[in-house]
Amino acid sequence: MEGFAQKMTGLVAGPTDAAQSDIPWYLRYGARGLGIFGAFFAILFGFWNCFGVLTINFSSVLSGILQILVGILVMSIEAPVCCMFIDYAQKFAQTVESRPQWWRAAGYCAAAIPPVLLEPGLASIFGCGLIFATGVLYGMMSLGKKATLEQMRQAAAATSSDNRNGTMRPGNNLVNNAQPLSFTPPPYDSNV
């Protein structure tokens, strides 16, 4: 019984990452909650799309199958406790957790698009839209923390003082050798 209790504790706790310490708790848990919620509805609406077999709509069935697979994939990453009897689900979730946040963001956004392209109905849009929104949240988390107000003011003051002195900052080199505009008359033709 101890083995089962330890396994449950490990599944519920999940891996801790020092890189996520600067991410606000509400964004971290909100993205995870939205992922679980979206995965549940993706699976549910995937089964709904599979009823397209009754109307002989192959794209609806294929969209439903893809949506179910995407939902199971997201559920196994976000809530490995739901897949505790699948041995490799915990290892897969830990592997994904060890990767940078933008990988998860790109994966969720890319996985949510094909079912909607195959069957652009409300069931596909809602189910995969929640997973896409989860990817967007993870993308926002991968951008990192915004600078403080004081740091932004200092950067703005440095930029404006550099531009007043006539020097350009290293990133502001769109037009290095700009010359003032002037009117040049057409050349004089002595033959006329």
Side-chain angles (χ1 to χ4, degrees):
M1 192 63 160
E2 271 184 50
F4 181 73
Q6 288 175 349
K7 186 174 183 178
M8 287 298 293
T9 305
L11 286 172
V12 171
T16 58
D17 192 8
Q20 289 187 354
S21 63
D22 63 338
I23 298 171
W25 66 270
Y26 53 87
L27 192 58
R28 209 173 353 164
Y29 291 120
R32 187 167 295 271
L34 184 63
I36 294 168
F37 185 73
F40 174 76
F41 278 105
I43 293 169
L44 182 72
F45 289 133
F47 280 121
W48 178 261
N49 279 350
C50 284
F51 283 124
V53 75
L54 299 175
T55 59
I56 310 171
N57 188 353
F58 180 70
S59 65
S60 177
V61 173
L62 185 60
S63 171
I65 291 171
L66 284 175
Q67 197 168 344
I68 291 169
L69 291 175
V70 168
I72 290 172
L73 177 78
V74 171
M75 186 69 77
S76 68
I77 293 170
E78 297 297 330
V81 71
C82 293
C83 306
M84 69 180 156
F85 298 112
I86 302 173
D87 291 333
Y88 61 87
Q90 178 66 22
K91 293 176 187 171
F92 178 66
Q94 287 175 347
T95 303
V96 171
E97 290 283 338
S98 68
R99 302 279 185 231
Q101 297 267 341
W102 66 268
W103 281 34
R104 190 184 305 193
Y108 286 176
C109 290
I113 293 173
V116 175
L117 292 179
L118 285 170
E119 181 66 31
L122 284 177
S124 297
I125 291 172
F126 184 71
C128 290
L130 290 172
I131 292 174
F132 191 86
T134 304
V136 169
L137 282 178
Y138 278 113
M140 287 173 46
M141 287 192 296
S142 71
L143 291 176
K145 194 173 169 183
K146 189 172 99 171
T148 64
L149 182 62
E150 187 59 35
Q151 290 172 337
M152 289 190 284
R153 283 184 181 159
Q154 288 173 354
T159 302
S160 63
S161 67
D162 286 346
N163 288 340
R164 269 187 255 129
N165 296 337
T167 61
M168 298 289 285
R169 296 189 72 198
N172 298 337
N173 57 2
L174 289 177
V175 186
N176 278 337
N177 298 321
Q179 300 295 321
L181 294 175
S182 64
F183 177 73
T184 307
Y188 178 73
D189 190 8
S190 61
N191 294 334
V192 178

